[in-house]
Amino acid sequence: MADTSLDFIHPGHPLYDGELELRFRVLREPLGFARSDVKFPFEDDSLHLVAHAGGTAVGCVLFHPEDAHGGRLFQMAVDSSLQGQGLGARLVRALEEELRRRGFRHVHLHARAPVVPFYERLGYAVYGEPYEEVGVPHRNMQRDL
């Protein structure tokens, strides 16, 4: 993982197709969704932070600004072979640093139930009632930056 770089990219960047493929393999394919279900309508207006090694996207996290002060972290994905090695935390921390630099003050997200402890370790707190999204139990979480 030492040779893994983090870069902010945009749709159309050479790493973008790899980011979409990673998001599909990690987040959508296991739930039976099609490749066409991976894109969001607000992709172009979101920040895309991609971890890559040797030209291959191995991790990503996105952020969609909802107002001048905050927005939603979404589509957090790390290649299954690298999960549990700290890359996800590195992505979230780097994204938060950039958001603070841009003047954002808070972040919220929709966490799949199994990854709630991961976000709690990063300082996010659960709020509201459990719910189902994309057929999976979720919790809303938030954090001040």
Side-chain angles (χ1 to χ4, degrees), residues 1-27:
M1 198 174 72
D3 60 345
T4 304
S5 300
L6 303 185
D7 286 298
F8 285 96
I9 69 163
H10 53 81
H13 185 280
L15 287 169
Y16 182 63
D17 286 343
E19 175 202 316
L20 289 175
E21 180 62 20
L22 176 71
R23 288 164 47 193
F24 170 69
R25 282 188 291 108
V26 173
L27 301 171

Side-chain angles (χ1 to χ4, degrees), residues 16-47:
Y16 182 63
D17 286 343
E19 175 202 316
L20 289 175
E21 180 62 20
L22 176 71
R23 288 164 47 193
F24 170 69
R25 282 188 291 108
V26 173
L27 301 171
R28 295 296 190 236
E29 188 176 36
L31 301 178
F33 286 88
R35 267 189 173 72
S36 57
D37 295 326
V38 81
K39 280 191 181 182
F40 285 75
F42 42 83
E43 294 266 332
D44 290 351
D45 303 320
S46 300
L47 283 175

